[in-house]
Amino acid sequence: MDPEAGQSPNALKKNSWKATLLLAYQSLGVVYGDLSISPLYVYKSTFAEDIKHSESNEEIFGVLSFVFWTLTLVPLFKYVFIVLRADDNGQGGTFALYSLICRNVNVSLLPNRQAADEELSTYRYESHPESSYKPSIKTWIEKHKNLHVVLLIVVMLGTCMVIGDGVLTPAISVFSAVSGLELSLSKTHHEYAVVPITCFLIVCLFALQHYGTHRVGFLFAPIIVTWLLCISGLGIYNIVKWNPLIYQALSPYYMLKFLRKTRKAGWMSLGGILLCMTGSEAMFADLGHFSYRAIQIAFTSCVYPALVLAYMGQAAYLSKHHIISNSYQIGFYVYVPESVRWPVLVIAILASVVGSQAIISGTFSIVSQSQSLGCFPRVKVVHTSNKVHGQIYIPEVNWALMILCVAVALGFRDTKHMGNASGLAVITVMLVTTCLTSLVMILCWHNSPLLALAFFVIFGSIEALFFSSSLMKFLDGAWLPILLALILMAIMFVWHYATIKKYEFDLQNKLSLDWLLALGNSLGISRVPGIGLVYTDLVSGVPANFSHFVTNLPAFHQILVFVCIKYVPVPFIPASERYLVGRVGPPEFRSYRCIVRYGYRDVHQDVNSFESELITSLADFIHAEALHNCDPSNDEAEGGFTVVGSSPYNSSTKLNLRDANMTVQISDERNSEGKEAMGKAKRVRFLVEESESSTEGVIDEELQELLVAQESGTAFILGHSHIRSKPGSSMIKKVAIDLVYNFLRRNCRGPDVALRLPPESLLEVGMVYLL
């Protein structure tokens, strides 16, 4: 056995410190862009209205103490040392936590769970071995179906707030960076310059997204490194020049003095302080692109010290400057020396673009994951890089985000309202992460409930304090992420609800195998040459749309394959475990079932490679089944499935199915330079030799039929559903199904486009679903 088999990519990266340090450097540009630009707007948002900077310095010292301990407790202790360990085979984010819970507890609302899925290598979670402790909460959660819905709603809330953050972060980041012009232009001029320049930069940022992160972001890491060095140098300069004793304000004592003096106003100002940890969730969400150790090193050695120095430098300057003649002079640029103000402005704008890029890419990823789990309407997903797996671009989402970002910049026109809106979105995502991580600690790590409760109480209370402060700013901008979340959650929940009801309708109306076997005698079924791929959501039985097709047109193909595209709650599924193949009916019927399993971050193959791999898997299954039947010690029940491996082949690669009697050869058509010819299908060739055994002769005959059928062509039979609510349904259900779901279905990508099926080989069978 290969000693490295089963190890995650992160475990392999840890073996080399050089590779780890390189990943740490790269993570600065992707992960920490949003977090590193927070000094641009934290103090300005905090002192916007609720509290004033006085000569006693109690306000600025208290804010500095709050910022320091917030950065220390939440990003450092919570995320770096605890939450980052809750990875799902190296992947992070809200869906990673949800998939971990779904694998350990039966809480998935889609009833297509199979025992064979638990045999996947990526399905097992081995970081925390199961102890003898059996949590009663697991049984309690599985029994109460309402809790399954509540858990899904919590996950959707976190997802929608991440998308809302994707709207707000580019707006506040770019606006705060451009606001440095206020100190260099007159009041009349800067009012007409900041907003148009901000909108222009936002449009340019989103217009470049279709080139992909690997092209747009090749300078990301150097820009963020330059920015971190810049704010560190400015912080040290202002500390030394204005107040070398500013470090004393880091004491928690100043937080108590701050709250004692400011009372309700100070509590209200916490909504601006929490912006100092904006972007912390990106450390966990982007874990799949880097290693845990790399992200830990980058934050503790570079990002955290730079941010602390930057905030201390601003506080040191403000502690000696109490006369504020203009409202914007409490912001970031006021403590930048005039001689370097323009270079810092340029670096800040570039850094804000980088920070915005990180959250935009994260929004694309989370929408794609939501779509894979049936929680979001089908949209076009473009993979912009052949080398980096997670770099995707979604045109519909990109342009919607751009319009909303420009609307936010034009509508709010100040950092105060943008900060209130962004703060509520950020703290809500953190609360969701805290809740889900607490469940993971009990259900997946098998820790004591007291330890999970301590984690929840400590960090949940901190975040609840910030959340209550942000919620009080509802009328001052915090209403926007709530409105966006309600709209997105309604869309996601209606789509998921209709998807489940449609699956249950298919499950209740599926036909038995006996009906399929009796078709030939009752209807005079004809078998036509070729392969028919019948797409269905069912993992067993004959779908109703196929019976509708056969009763109206009594003929189907020589080789019939029921194909189920299924998503398993894991990030990736190895190619060797993707296909689950079984037989429908006796061998002479030439009917099979193939369950194609994908993880929520897997990339779909193009139709040519998918067809080739599917046919190769059928050939492999035919031979494996013959060997299985010859083994008297194995008494697996009829209708069982076999995992059939698939892997990329070169033009001369052969897959040996029998020692000397048969091989399956995959031949790719390539150009003279050895590269794959674009648009040319892969062909599957079966090299069949004479066989002496009667069993081998049957195998040869079946494989020969598969070869002939493959060369005759493949037809894709797909159900075209018309969804309606049942007569007598409630008004809410009628609105959800007849109006909202059907509107979304008509305006999203059809299943034939999403599955990349060729129109010339597509047969659609209309079906009316009464849900």
Side-chain angles (χ1 to χ4, degrees):
M1 180 179 294
D2 185 357
E4 294 184 351
Q7 292 187 12
S8 66
N10 290 348
L12 298 178
K13 292 171 185 175
K14 291 177 183 177
N15 296 331
S16 172
W17 275 103
K18 183 178 179 181
T20 301
L21 293 177
L22 179 61
L23 285 173
Y25 169 74
Q26 293 173 345
S27 69
L28 291 173
V30 177
V31 176
Y32 296 111
D34 190 10
L35 185 61
S36 65
I37 59 176
S38 57
L40 286 172
Y41 44 77
V42 169
Y43 283 161
K44 188 172 183 180
S45 298
T46 304
F47 288 94
E49 183 178 272
D50 302 302
I51 57 176
K52 302 298 181 181
H53 177 44
S54 64
E55 294 186 4
S56 65
N57 285 328
E58 289 184 357
E59 294 87 357
I60 190 62
F61 288 169
V63 170
L64 174 61
S65 183
F66 263 107
V67 168
F68 173 76
W69 287 106
T70 300
L71 280 174
T72 302
L73 292 175
V74 179
L76 184 61
F77 284 107
K78 175 190 170 182
Y79 278 96
V80 171
F81 292 113
I82 300 177
V83 175
L84 286 182
R85 297 181 182 274
D87 66 295
D88 182 14
N89 292 286
Q91 302 300 312
T94 305
F95 277 101
L97 296 173
Y98 183 61
S99 68
L100 282 177
I101 296 172
C102 287
R103 295 211 302 274
N104 287 271
V105 187
N106 188 16
V107 295
S108 178
L109 296 180
L110 198 61
N112 65 345
R113 186 172 180 176
Q114 291 177 285
D117 297 334
E118 299 183 9
E119 300 301 322
L120 290 167
S121 59
T122 52
Y123 197 94
R124 302 183 182 91
Y125 188 74
E126 301 176 354
S127 297
H128 300 269
E130 186 171 356
S131 64
S132 58
Y133 170 70
K134 301 294 183 182
S136 58
I137 189 173
K138 175 179 178 180
T139 306
W140 183 66
I141 292 177
E142 289 180 341
K143 285 183 178 179
H144 294 79
K145 300 297 182 182
N146 291 335
L147 294 178
H148 304 181
V149 179
V150 171
L151 181 61
L152 180 65
I153 291 176
V154 170
V155 173
M156 286 183 177
L157 175 62
T159 301
C160 294
M161 284 298 182
V162 171
I163 298 174
D165 197 19
V167 173
L168 297 167
T169 294
I172 188 174
S173 300
V174 178
F175 186 90
S176 300
V178 177
S179 64
L181 295 172
E182 293 174 336
L183 297 178
S184 302
L185 300 176
S186 64
K187 183 177 180 180
T188 304
H189 289 160
H190 79 69
E191 287 182 352
Y192 296 99
V194 173
V195 174
I197 293 175
T198 299
C199 295
F200 173 76
L201 291 175
I202 290 174
V203 171
C204 292
L205 174 64
F206 284 97
L208 294 174
Q209 292 301 313
H210 71 280
Y211 290 107
T213 305
H214 66 292
R215 293 190 180 94
V216 178
F218 70 98
L219 286 177
F220 280 10
I223 290 175
I224 296 300
V225 169
T226 305
W227 170 250
L228 291 175
L229 292 175
C230 176
I231 61 176
S232 300
L234 289 172
I236 294 173
Y237 169 80
N238 283 275
I239 292 172
V240 173
K241 182 175 181 179
W242 299 111
N243 193 349
L245 299 179
I246 191 65
Y247 66 89
Q248 296 178 352
L250 301 180
S251 171
Y253 170 72
Y254 286 92
M255 290 192 292
L256 298 177
K257 291 186 64 176
F258 172 79
L259 292 177
R260 188 183 301 119
K261 179 179 180 180
T262 57
R263 298 184 181 275
K264 183 180 178 180
W267 170 63
M268 296 280 287
S269 68
L270 295 179
I273 295 174
L274 73 88
L275 293 176
C276 70
M277 53 184 176
T278 301
S280 300
E281 190 71 20
M283 287 191 288
F284 186 44
D286 292 329
L287 182 61
H289 300 289
F290 306 96
S291 68
Y292 163 72
R293 187 66 62 190
I295 291 180
Q296 188 181 53
I297 291 174
F299 182 79
T300 55
S301 63
C302 297
V303 180
Y304 179 75
L307 290 176
V308 171
L309 287 174
Y311 288 117
M312 289 177 64
Q314 292 185 62
Y317 177 88
L318 293 173
S319 66
K320 301 300 181 181
H321 296 78
H322 305 102
I323 301 176
I324 307 299
S325 58
N326 296 291
S327 61
Y328 56 79
Q329 285 192 341
I330 198 72
F332 172 80
Y333 291 98
V334 69
Y335 91 118
V336 178
E338 189 173 355
S339 58
V340 295
R341 188 167 292 164
W342 281 102
V344 171
L345 175 65
V346 174
I347 298 173
I349 292 176
L350 293 175
S352 67
V353 171
V354 172
S356 303
Q357 176 64 43
I359 190 62
I360 293 170
S361 300
T363 304
F364 292 157
S365 297
I366 204 165
V367 168
S368 177
Q369 294 173 20
S370 304
Q371 178 183 248
S372 299
L373 294 179
C375 296
F376 202 86
R378 292 181 296 269
V379 291
K380 182 180 181 180
V381 178
V382 180
H383 296 271
T384 58
S385 175
N386 295 325
K387 297 179 180 180
V388 182
H389 184 277
Q391 294 183 358
I392 60 175
Y393 166 69
I394 303 178
E396 296 94 333
V397 175
N398 181 69
W399 301 124
L401 289 178
M402 185 195 74
I403 293 173
L404 291 174
C405 280
V406 172
V408 167
L410 291 174
F412 286 157
R413 291 175 175 264
D414 60 33
T415 309
K416 170 190 168 184
H417 291 84
M418 294 182 192
N420 294 337
S422 179
L424 184 62
V426 168
I427 201 63
T428 304
V429 176
M430 291 184 174
L431 273 172
V432 169
T433 300
T434 300
C435 296
L436 295 179
T437 304
S438 301
L439 289 176
V440 168
M441 293 175 72
I442 299 176
L443 302 173
C444 306
W445 295 355
H446 305 285
N447 288 332
S448 169
L450 293 178
L451 184 62
L453 181 62
F455 172 84
F456 177 78
V457 170
I458 292 174
F459 295 106
S461 59
I462 295 173
E463 292 160 357
L465 179 65
F466 285 116
F467 179 78
S468 61
S469 173
S470 297
L471 203 58
M472 294 301 295
K473 303 292 185 66
F474 181 82
L475 297 178
D476 293 329
W479 58 268
L480 180 59
I482 296 177
L483 178 62
L484 290 175
L486 289 176
I487 295 174
L488 289 171
M489 284 184 67
I491 292 173
M492 295 173 70
F493 193 81
V494 167
W495 187 268
H496 189 72
Y497 173 80
T499 301
I500 292 175
K501 291 300 179 182
K502 183 175 177 293
Y503 181 86
E504 292 176 349
F505 182 91
D506 286 333
L507 201 63
Q508 294 170 0
N509 292 274
K510 71 177 182 179
L511 301 173
S512 64
L513 180 62
D514 295 334
W515 177 89
L516 184 63
L517 298 177
L519 281 178
N521 299 328
S522 60
L523 296 176
I525 296 294
S526 301
R527 304 296 291 268
V528 298
I531 299 176
L533 302 182
V534 182
Y535 283 83
T536 175
D537 293 329
L538 298 176
V539 295
S540 63
V542 179
N545 60 356
F546 180 72
S547 66
H548 186 65
F549 169 73
V550 172
T551 51
N552 288 276
L553 183 63
F556 55 88
H557 296 82
Q558 177 185 0
I559 303 294
L560 186 65
V561 185
F562 294 99
V563 179
C564 174
I565 306 293
K566 177 183 177 181
Y567 291 93
V568 182
V570 296
F572 304 107
I573 292 181
S576 59
E577 302 175 7
R578 187 174 305 282
Y579 295 91
L580 197 62
V581 183
R583 191 183 293 277
V584 179
E588 60 270 14
F589 203 74
R590 301 296 189 258
S591 179
Y592 312 91
R593 184 180 307 281
C594 182
I595 301 175
V596 189
R597 300 177 291 186
Y598 289 96
Y600 56 82
R601 298 198 67 174
D602 268 324
V603 180
H604 277 267
Q605 308 106 306
D606 61 86
V607 68
N608 294 326
S609 63
F610 173 76
E611 181 184 349
S612 299
E613 290 183 5
L614 179 62
I615 296 171
T616 305
S617 300
L618 291 177
D620 199 0
F621 165 76
I622 292 169
H623 181 255
E625 184 194 41
L627 296 180
H628 167 76
N629 290 336
C630 292
D631 183 7
S633 65
N634 198 322
D635 57 352
E636 185 179 352
E638 182 179 359
F641 291 96
T642 301
V643 177
V644 180
S646 66
S647 58
Y649 299 97
N650 296 325
S651 58
S652 60
T653 302
K654 294 184 179 180
L655 174 65
N656 293 322
L657 293 183
R658 264 198 321 274
D659 294 339
N661 294 325
M662 183 173 302
T663 59
V664 180
Q665 180 178 342
I666 309 291
S667 60
D668 296 351
E669 298 183 15
R670 301 177 182 271
N671 57 20
S672 58
E673 297 179 357
K675 298 181 180 179
E676 292 187 11
M678 298 300 294
K680 295 186 178 180
K682 297 180 180 179
R683 306 293 296 174
V684 180
R685 302 291 185 186
F686 300 92
L687 307 180
V688 183
E689 299 180 1
E690 295 289 338
S691 53
E692 299 176 359
S693 169
S694 59
T695 303
E696 293 175 348
V698 173
I699 297 174
D700 294 347
E701 180 183 355
E702 190 168 359
L703 288 175
Q704 186 66 44
E705 289 187 24
L706 185 61
L707 168 64
V708 173
Q710 191 270 339
E711 298 206 344
S712 298
T714 302
F716 302 88
I717 303 173
L718 188 67
H720 185 76
S721 56
H722 300 272
I723 311 295
R724 300 174 187 170
S725 59
K726 291 181 180 179
S729 299
S730 63
M731 182 60 64
I732 296 177
K733 187 174 182 180
K734 288 182 178 179
V735 171
I737 299 297
D738 297 341
L739 296 180
V740 179
Y741 178 77
N742 282 319
F743 173 80
L744 294 174
R745 188 177 57 83
R746 287 192 300 268
N747 290 276
C748 71
R749 295 169 65 82
D752 55 328
V753 180
L755 295 171
R756 304 175 185 178
L757 303 181
E760 62 275 8
S761 302
L762 179 64
L763 295 175
E764 286 192 311
V765 182
M767 280 286 294
V768 177
Y769 288 79
L770 296 177
L771 306 182

